[in-house]
Amino acid sequence: MLHAITRIPAQSLTQACLLTHLSRTPIDFAAALRQHDGYCATLQRWNVTVHRLDALADFPDSVFVEDAAVVLDEVVVFARSGAAARLGEPAALAPALQGWHRPRASIVAPGTLDGGDVLLVGRRLLIGLSTRTNLAGAEQLRCIAHEFGYQVEFVPIGATLHLKTACTALRDDLLLVNPAWITRQDLPGFDFVEIHPDEPFAANVLRLPDAILCDADSPRTTDIVRRAVAGHCAVDVVQNSEFSKAEGSLTCLSVVFRDTAV
């Protein structure tokens, strides 16, 4: 059984969200709430059990709950963001990750790591080296994951926030990528599908067992994804425009994991 933890957006997102590569533009908070409702409903439609947490007014970016933890089948690893304003988010998430039959570990100083820089593809764990994730944090996660048999690889990324902004997986052997931010040389052993060049943030899709969720504002890339996965799984679209203004994409809004006790 698949589960997803999400967090209701806080009103503070509209004024105080962190921006690294985008200029600040107005966020329609009512629309953001509707889009978050729609996101959760879409997960449920694809047989994911959603656990929705209350908003955290003191953490404007906490709706992007993915960054606070990496959940593997064998272990929960609480992250330590390279953005100081987000350092309290893992502790706020911790109660929701109790009781899931996994030991717990944490990234500690001087290491930094955001969950958005960690892409699990089969038994390969790709860790992006970014402004939010440093080598010390990546090395800590590598040591933890190696104990459970994962193949861990570090991936340099270009001028974008996270690894998952530059690429996500369509299958275990196939990645959707923005070639401006990541290259084939950085990811040996995978086949690539490239996004439409006019939709630079479209490489972030959410892969579920039966569907790939794409951003509704990236229709040309969505068509590319449909062709790439035809016969393997469905493609669904989610409205995400307000979270995009805060540099948030589809994977950012949830921590998805299996109930390994079932």
Side-chain angles (χ1 to χ4, degrees):
M1 180 179 295
L2 208 61
H3 294 259
I5 294 175
T6 68
R7 187 177 293 283
I8 297 169
Q11 177 77 51
S12 54
L13 175 77
T14 63
Q15 300 296 327
C17 64
L18 297 175
L19 294 173
T20 304
H21 298 284
L22 296 180
S23 299
R24 195 170 300 277
T25 56
I27 294 173
D28 182 332
F29 186 61
L33 291 174
R34 291 194 299 271
Q35 290 178 1
H36 198 264
D37 288 345
Y39 179 88
C40 294
T42 301
L43 291 175
Q44 291 170 327
R45 185 163 65 248
W46 291 105
N47 301 312
V48 180
T49 300
V50 176
H51 307 266
R52 204 169 185 191
L53 307 181
D54 292 338
L56 294 175
D58 292 340
F59 295 100
D61 290 275
S62 58
V63 66
F64 305 126
V65 68
E66 171 186 56
D67 291 324
V70 175
V71 182
L72 305 176
D73 282 352
E74 302 86 357
V75 64
V76 175
V77 182
F78 291 100
R80 182 176 182 272
S81 181
R86 303 194 67 186
L87 288 175
E89 292 180 32
L93 178 64
L97 286 169
Q98 290 178 342
W100 290 104
H101 314 286
R102 291 166 169 85
R104 296 144 73 95
S106 296
I107 304 300
V108 298
T112 64
L113 183 132
D114 266 8
D117 280 317
V118 182
L119 178 62
L120 178 63
V121 190
R123 297 295 293 181
R124 294 176 71 175
L125 199 66
L126 309 179
I127 306 176
L129 301 177
S130 71
T131 60
R132 300 287 180 87
T133 297
N134 65 16
L135 184 59
E139 287 283 5
Q140 289 178 40
L141 182 55
R142 171 158 48 190
C143 290
I144 295 166
H146 269 178
E147 293 184 22
F148 301 103
Y150 289 92
Q151 177 185 338
V152 181
E153 303 160 44
F154 298 166
V155 184
I157 59 174
T160 191
L161 186 59
H162 287 131
L163 173 63
K164 287 181 183 172
T165 320
C167 75
T168 50
L170 300 179
R171 298 194 306 266
D172 283 354
D173 61 346
L174 183 65
L175 301 182
L176 178 67
V177 305
N178 180 335
W181 294 332
I182 205 159
T183 70
R184 293 180 185 274
Q185 290 72 31
D186 296 325
L187 294 165
F190 291 104
D191 292 328
F192 277 17
V193 172
E194 295 185 1
I195 62 166
H196 192 282
D198 292 339
E199 299 169 347
F201 296 100
N204 184 282
V205 299
L206 180 57
R207 181 188 179 195
L208 301 174
D210 300 315
I212 303 290
L213 306 189
C214 296
D215 192 324
D217 287 337
S218 301
R220 287 168 288 192
T221 298
T222 299
D223 287 342
I224 292 170
V225 171
R226 283 196 176 97
R227 292 193 293 271
V229 301
H232 295 275
C233 66
V235 174
D236 206 346
V237 295
V238 181
Q239 299 290 337
N240 191 62
S241 62
E242 302 313 301
F243 300 111
S244 295
K245 297 173 185 176
E247 295 186 336
S249 300
L250 298 186
T251 66
C252 307
L253 294 168
S254 58
V255 177
V256 179
F257 59 94
R258 294 194 306 154
D259 184 350
T260 54
V262 175

